[in-house]
Amino acid sequence: MRDLDSQIDTMFNEAIYHIEADNTRRIKKFTIRFTKSNQKYSPDHLESLLGSYEKAIREIPRQFLRTEKIARQKYLMPLEEERRHALTKVMTEHVEMLVEKMNRKYRDIFKNQKRLEEFDDRIKDTLITSKEKIDEEIGKFSENLREKLSSSSKIKPEELARIYELDESTLVDLKAIEPLQAIHEVFGRMQGDHVAKGALEGIREGIVICSKFGTQFGIDPSQNHTEAARRFKKRSIAAGTLVLKDVIDAIYILTQQLKLPVEKRNSEIITKTHSRINESLKEHDGVEKIIASLQGFFKMLSIA
């Protein structure tokens, strides 16, 4: 799912920013400390500086793969071979970038101290070791993710897309995968309950109807290609999408109450969330059908 890959890549940008920022703070702290004691660029100071960069380099696969893991487990998306190569490439590039910074900043200092061979060997070793670590960690990550996904009972995004007649990319944009998975998990525990089965089907019907909001335009065909018409379509689709997300999130909240024993349910949350659904749907075509489709679900929560 390329949309998911793009979202993860954006998080990678944030991760490398924080890794570099932490490195900069450490280096500043070390430099202040050693300068105050008249030991600037002493062996101990240089060891601290290089050690700080090496720590930053080790953080790259650790943080990047943690980010990738969280996102893929959340959306039940396996690591395809193409993505695996892309991951290796982006982590290697960031490692090489930090190694090059080490080279630019400290090579001349080591050269002036007649320690150039020592520095070059260390740089070479850091680069080789880091690349080997990336390959090793990606292998472990891939295997672990495969095991996690194969044992998961959650409905996969492609199946949710089929059930609700939506694109997977739309589900990702709406952040709807987790809520819908949770809704199905709750009803999955009620297998054999015909009332629950009917309520879940009603939820499905309501969401499908709601997903059409903003996609049907009452525009004169002759005006269809005008700028005003394009703006109107864009606003309509955006408004419809917001309603769809609001309804899914509200149903999710109610489902979390449904799974509790009756005596532990929060009636205030149920009442407010039910009102939120009605408020979100008002003035939209098809609202009566949606509310009617949700009646079985509402009755399970004793909502009149």
PDB file of all heavy atoms in Angstrom, residues 257-270:
ATOM      1  N   GLN A 257     -18.524   0.574  24.304  1.00  0.00           N
ATOM      2  CA  GLN A 257     -19.479   0.491  25.415  1.00  0.00           C
ATOM      3  C   GLN A 257     -20.257  -0.820  25.354  1.00  0.00           C
ATOM      4  O   GLN A 257     -20.545  -1.435  26.376  1.00  0.00           O
ATOM      5  CB  GLN A 257     -20.441   1.684  25.366  1.00  0.00           C
ATOM      6  CG  GLN A 257     -19.805   3.019  25.689  1.00  0.00           C
ATOM      7  CD  GLN A 257     -19.294   3.085  27.117  1.00  0.00           C
ATOM      8  OE1 GLN A 257     -19.993   2.720  28.060  1.00  0.00           O
ATOM      9  NE2 GLN A 257     -18.056   3.544  27.270  1.00  0.00           N
ATOM     10  N   LEU A 258     -20.570  -1.263  24.142  1.00  0.00           N
ATOM     11  CA  LEU A 258     -21.356  -2.482  23.959  1.00  0.00           C
ATOM     12  C   LEU A 258     -20.645  -3.707  24.537  1.00  0.00           C
ATOM     13  O   LEU A 258     -21.282  -4.612  25.053  1.00  0.00           O
ATOM     14  CB  LEU A 258     -21.648  -2.689  22.473  1.00  0.00           C
ATOM     15  CG  LEU A 258     -22.481  -3.924  22.089  1.00  0.00           C
ATOM     16  CD1 LEU A 258     -23.883  -3.825  22.669  1.00  0.00           C
ATOM     17  CD2 LEU A 258     -22.529  -4.076  20.572  1.00  0.00           C
ATOM     18  N   LYS A 259     -19.325  -3.728  24.440  1.00  0.00           N
ATOM     19  CA  LYS A 259     -18.597  -4.918  24.896  1.00  0.00           C
ATOM     20  C   LYS A 259     -18.494  -4.996  26.421  1.00  0.00           C
ATOM     21  O   LYS A 259     -18.078  -6.021  26.962  1.00  0.00           O
ATOM     22  CB  LYS A 259     -17.202  -4.968  24.269  1.00  0.00           C
ATOM     23  CG  LYS A 259     -16.205  -3.964  24.814  1.00  0.00           C
ATOM     24  CD  LYS A 259     -14.860  -4.130  24.111  1.00  0.00           C
ATOM     25  CE  LYS A 259     -13.813  -3.178  24.674  1.00  0.00           C
ATOM     26  NZ  LYS A 259     -12.516  -3.331  23.990  1.00  0.00           N
ATOM     27  N   LEU A 260     -18.880  -3.906  27.108  1.00  0.00           N
ATOM     28  CA  LEU A 260     -18.857  -3.902  28.569  1.00  0.00           C
ATOM     29  C   LEU A 260     -20.132  -4.529  29.129  1.00  0.00           C
ATOM     30  O   LEU A 260     -21.186  -4.496  28.482  1.00  0.00           O
ATOM     31  CB  LEU A 260     -18.734  -2.462  29.091  1.00  0.00           C
ATOM     32  CG  LEU A 260     -17.469  -1.675  28.724  1.00  0.00           C
ATOM     33  CD1 LEU A 260     -17.609  -0.238  29.190  1.00  0.00           C
ATOM     34  CD2 LEU A 260     -16.232  -2.322  29.332  1.00  0.00           C
ATOM     35  N   PRO A 261     -20.075  -5.067  30.346  1.00  0.00           N
ATOM     36  CA  PRO A 261     -21.314  -5.505  31.001  1.00  0.00           C
ATOM     37  C   PRO A 261     -22.273  -4.318  31.126  1.00  0.00           C
ATOM     38  O   PRO A 261     -21.822  -3.181  31.285  1.00  0.00           O
ATOM     39  CB  PRO A 261     -20.842  -5.978  32.382  1.00  0.00           C
ATOM     40  CG  PRO A 261     -19.386  -6.277  32.215  1.00  0.00           C
ATOM     41  CD  PRO A 261     -18.882  -5.327  31.171  1.00  0.00           C
ATOM     42  N   VAL A 262     -23.553  -4.585  31.045  1.00  0.00           N
ATOM     43  CA  VAL A 262     -24.555  -3.512  31.047  1.00  0.00           C
ATOM     44  C   VAL A 262     -24.340  -2.551  32.210  1.00  0.00           C
ATOM     45  O   VAL A 262     -24.417  -1.326  32.054  1.00  0.00           O
ATOM     46  CB  VAL A 262     -25.988  -4.096  31.091  1.00  0.00           C
ATOM     47  CG1 VAL A 262     -27.018  -2.976  31.232  1.00  0.00           C
ATOM     48  CG2 VAL A 262     -26.260  -4.925  29.850  1.00  0.00           C
ATOM     49  N   GLU A 263     -24.074  -3.091  33.410  1.00  0.00           N
ATOM     50  CA  GLU A 263     -23.959  -2.245  34.606  1.00  0.00           C
ATOM     51  C   GLU A 263     -22.723  -1.344  34.584  1.00  0.00           C
ATOM     52  O   GLU A 263     -22.636  -0.375  35.353  1.00  0.00           O
ATOM     53  CB  GLU A 263     -23.952  -3.110  35.873  1.00  0.00           C
ATOM     54  CG  GLU A 263     -22.747  -4.019  36.034  1.00  0.00           C
ATOM     55  CD  GLU A 263     -22.905  -5.364  35.331  1.00  0.00           C
ATOM     56  OE1 GLU A 263     -23.876  -5.526  34.554  1.00  0.00           O
ATOM     57  OE2 GLU A 263     -22.056  -6.256  35.562  1.00  0.00           O
ATOM     58  N   LYS A 264     -21.751  -1.653  33.706  1.00  0.00           N
ATOM     59  CA  LYS A 264     -20.530  -0.839  33.645  1.00  0.00           C
ATOM     60  C   LYS A 264     -20.514   0.141  32.480  1.00  0.00           C
ATOM     61  O   LYS A 264     -19.567   0.896  32.315  1.00  0.00           O
ATOM     62  CB  LYS A 264     -19.307  -1.759  33.554  1.00  0.00           C
ATOM     63  CG  LYS A 264     -19.055  -2.543  34.831  1.00  0.00           C
ATOM     64  CD  LYS A 264     -17.728  -3.277  34.776  1.00  0.00           C
ATOM     65  CE  LYS A 264     -17.452  -3.995  36.102  1.00  0.00           C
ATOM     66  NZ  LYS A 264     -16.148  -4.700  36.085  1.00  0.00           N
ATOM     67  N   ARG A 265     -21.567   0.147  31.681  1.00  0.00           N
ATOM     68  CA  ARG A 265     -21.611   1.074  30.550  1.00  0.00           C
ATOM     69  C   ARG A 265     -21.869   2.500  31.034  1.00  0.00           C
ATOM     70  O   ARG A 265     -22.572   2.717  32.017  1.00  0.00           O
ATOM     71  CB  ARG A 265     -22.699   0.649  29.562  1.00  0.00           C
ATOM     72  CG  ARG A 265     -22.399  -0.664  28.877  1.00  0.00           C
ATOM     73  CD  ARG A 265     -23.541  -1.122  28.005  1.00  0.00           C
ATOM     74  NE  ARG A 265     -23.308  -2.480  27.499  1.00  0.00           N
ATOM     75  CZ  ARG A 265     -24.216  -3.219  26.881  1.00  0.00           C
ATOM     76  NH1 ARG A 265     -25.444  -2.729  26.681  1.00  0.00           N
ATOM     77  NH2 ARG A 265     -23.914  -4.442  26.467  1.00  0.00           N
ATOM     78  N   ASN A 266     -21.278   3.447  30.300  1.00  0.00           N
ATOM     79  CA  ASN A 266     -21.428   4.866  30.645  1.00  0.00           C
ATOM     80  C   ASN A 266     -22.578   5.447  29.826  1.00  0.00           C
ATOM     81  O   ASN A 266     -22.437   5.700  28.628  1.00  0.00           O
ATOM     82  CB  ASN A 266     -20.120   5.607  30.356  1.00  0.00           C
ATOM     83  CG  ASN A 266     -20.123   7.025  30.884  1.00  0.00           C
ATOM     84  OD1 ASN A 266     -21.106   7.743  30.757  1.00  0.00           O
ATOM     85  ND2 ASN A 266     -19.003   7.419  31.465  1.00  0.00           N
ATOM     86  N   SER A 267     -23.709   5.655  30.470  1.00  0.00           N
ATOM     87  CA  SER A 267     -24.908   6.124  29.762  1.00  0.00           C
ATOM     88  C   SER A 267     -24.714   7.515  29.180  1.00  0.00           C
ATOM     89  O   SER A 267     -25.275   7.836  28.130  1.00  0.00           O
ATOM     90  CB  SER A 267     -26.113   6.115  30.711  1.00  0.00           C
ATOM     91  OG  SER A 267     -25.866   6.938  31.842  1.00  0.00           O
ATOM     92  N   GLU A 268     -23.903   8.327  29.852  1.00  0.00           N
ATOM     93  CA  GLU A 268     -23.660   9.684  29.341  1.00  0.00           C
ATOM     94  C   GLU A 268     -22.897   9.633  28.024  1.00  0.00           C
ATOM     95  O   GLU A 268     -23.226  10.343  27.063  1.00  0.00           O
ATOM     96  CB  GLU A 268     -22.884  10.499  30.367  1.00  0.00           C
ATOM     97  CG  GLU A 268     -22.674  11.956  29.935  1.00  0.00           C
ATOM     98  CD  GLU A 268     -21.927  12.768  30.967  1.00  0.00           C
ATOM     99  OE1 GLU A 268     -21.605  12.233  32.047  1.00  0.00           O
ATOM    100  OE2 GLU A 268     -21.644  13.959  30.680  1.00  0.00           O
ATOM    101  N   ILE A 269     -21.859   8.782  27.967  1.00  0.00           N
ATOM    102  CA  ILE A 269     -21.089   8.633  26.717  1.00  0.00           C
ATOM    103  C   ILE A 269     -22.000   8.095  25.615  1.00  0.00           C
ATOM    104  O   ILE A 269     -21.958   8.573  24.468  1.00  0.00           O
ATOM    105  CB  ILE A 269     -19.890   7.686  26.941  1.00  0.00           C
ATOM    106  CG1 ILE A 269     -18.826   8.374  27.793  1.00  0.00           C
ATOM    107  CG2 ILE A 269     -19.296   7.246  25.600  1.00  0.00           C
ATOM    108  CD1 ILE A 269     -17.636   7.492  28.119  1.00  0.00           C
ATOM    109  N   ILE A 270     -22.819   7.116  25.934  1.00  0.00           N
ATOM    110  CA  ILE A 270     -23.727   6.525  24.935  1.00  0.00           C
ATOM    111  C   ILE A 270     -24.688   7.568  24.391  1.00  0.00           C
ATOM    112  O   ILE A 270     -24.869   7.698  23.173  1.00  0.00           O
ATOM    113  CB  ILE A 270     -24.491   5.330  25.553  1.00  0.00           C
ATOM    114  CG1 ILE A 270     -23.520   4.177  25.831  1.00  0.00           C
ATOM    115  CG2 ILE A 270     -25.608   4.873  24.608  1.00  0.00           C
ATOM    116  CD1 ILE A 270     -24.134   3.024  26.603  1.00  0.00           C
TER     117      ILE A 270
END
